[in-house]
Amino acid sequence: MDKIIISIVTYNSKDIFLTLDKLQEELIPSGAYEVVIYDNGSEADYRKKLATYPFVRLIESGENRGFGYGHNRVLLTAENRYGIICNPDILVAEKDVSLMVDKIKAQDLAAVCPKVLNGDGSTQYLVRHRLAVFDYFLRFVSIGFLNRLFNKRLADFECRSLPDDQDSYIKMGSGCFMLVELEKFKEIGGFDERFFMYFEDNDLCLRFGKNGDKILYTPEANVTHLYGKGAHKSFRLFRIFMSSMGKFFGKWGWRFF
């Protein structure tokens, strides 16, 4: 049986053990999935704990070369038909993955993205049809009167009008959890490894589109993302975010408003 490969890239992520426990409970018993973790140079005790999960194939790297780099090491060499790009802070049920797999098998798609939820069940609006510097300024600064003034713009930026009762073809989905057809992923060379972290999923989706491939968003399936908003809390991650933003707009064209 051609298993679906689940690729997880981590660097000392505190939530990954919740993710692995959920995978062990929900997906692993079916025998239809394999899990590969690419560890970007985490602490020794952390790696030892990862190695205690018998269903995990652990790839240990001596350096941290980023999110896309790690996933490429796993997925570009995989012989599976389908792969799942999975953050180390995702909780997912087997029924939702099965639904996504059914949809990618039924249509000519490069990727399928689920509805992403917060821990309290509210929606994380991660689908995008455009990217502009001003929108990121609004989200980062989060000034009350500005957010109210540009509420319609933010709602449009976050694609909040997408229907909840039917699937939609989208331009850009989130790489926190994405089912991909690996032949199409390989055709475009996987992730652009110039992005250490952030924007690499947007770039991947735009290259799928440029290649004539479709991405489906299905609100029937959902995952929980234990989102830490690292770039809002860490100056180091904020610098990485800004660097990736510069690379993204430098590649695809600057849009300020």
Side-chain angles (χ1 to χ4, degrees):
M1 179 176 63
D2 181 23
K3 293 187 178 183
I4 295 170
I5 185 169
I6 301 173
S7 175
I8 302 175
V9 175
T10 186
Y11 175 72
N12 292 314
S13 170
K14 63 182 177 63
D15 293 318
I16 194 170
F17 303 107
L18 295 174
T19 296
L20 294 176
D21 289 342
K22 189 69 170 178
L23 291 177
Q24 188 169 32
E25 175 189 347
E26 287 280 342
L27 272 68
I28 299 306
S30 72
Y33 304 90
E34 61 175 306
V35 179
V36 180
I37 295 178
Y38 190 92
D39 183 84
N40 273 324
S42 299
E43 296 172 357
D45 287 346
Y46 180 87
R47 292 189 182 194
K48 286 180 182 178
K49 190 171 180 180
L50 290 177
T52 64
Y53 288 83
F55 60 89
V56 167
R57 177 161 65 89
L58 179 61
I59 301 174
E60 299 186 26
S61 173
E63 58 181 329
N64 189 349
R65 298 186 63 177
F67 177 91
Y69 180 91
H71 281 299
N72 280 352
R73 303 285 81 70
V74 176
L75 297 176
L76 289 180
T77 59
E79 297 181 356
N80 314 63
R81 183 176 181 187
Y82 302 112
I84 294 174
I85 299 159
C86 181
N87 267 25
D89 55 359
I90 291 288
L91 305 179
V92 63
E94 200 277 335
K95 64 179 180 61
D96 294 294
V97 180
S98 291
L99 189 148
M100 294 170 66
V101 172
D102 288 344
K103 290 179 183 293
I104 204 170
K105 286 182 176 179
Q107 302 183 53
D108 184 19
L109 301 170
V112 179
C113 297
K115 186 176 186 178
V116 181
L117 305 177
N118 291 300
D120 62 5
S122 60
T123 302
Q124 288 181 18
Y125 295 99
L126 302 179
V127 176
R128 302 286 181 262
H129 68 91
R130 70 160 199 278
L131 296 180
V133 174
F134 182 71
D135 296 305
Y136 282 105
F137 169 77
L138 286 177
R139 285 168 60 83
F140 263 98
V141 174
S142 192
I143 298 175
F145 82 91
L146 277 178
N147 287 345
R148 290 190 295 271
L149 182 64
F150 292 100
N151 182 59
K152 288 184 178 180
R153 180 184 176 94
L154 278 174
D156 179 63
F157 172 69
E158 295 180 337
C159 296
R160 295 190 179 213
S161 63
L162 282 175
D164 253 349
D165 57 354
Q166 66 184 58
D167 296 344
S168 303
Y169 292 113
I170 60 172
K171 192 172 183 179
M172 289 173 277
S174 172
C176 72
F177 194 88
M178 181 185 289
L179 172 67
V180 295
E181 209 271 10
L182 287 178
E183 185 176 340
K184 297 182 186 299
F185 182 81
K186 293 172 185 178
E187 278 180 10
I188 63 170
F191 284 107
D192 184 338
E193 295 175 11
R194 289 175 292 179
F195 296 95
F196 178 84
M197 186 178 175
Y198 305 115
F199 289 91
E200 66 286 296
D201 50 356
N202 301 126
D203 174 79
L204 180 77
C205 290
L206 290 181
R207 286 188 290 117
F208 274 141
K210 191 175 181 180
N211 199 45
D213 298 322
K214 294 180 180 179
I215 301 168
L216 188 76
Y217 167 73
T218 179
E220 289 183 74
N222 64 74
V223 303
T224 298
H225 184 201
L226 307 174
Y227 185 38
K229 293 187 177 181
H232 292 72
K233 302 173 182 177
S234 163
F235 182 66
R236 173 182 169 273
L237 292 178
F238 178 71
R239 285 173 55 193
I240 293 172
F241 178 90
M242 294 302 293
S243 173
S244 292
M245 177 187 279
K247 291 173 184 176
F248 179 86
F249 286 112
K251 180 176 181 177
W252 293 99
W254 284 89
R255 178 173 179 167
F256 291 95
F257 191 82

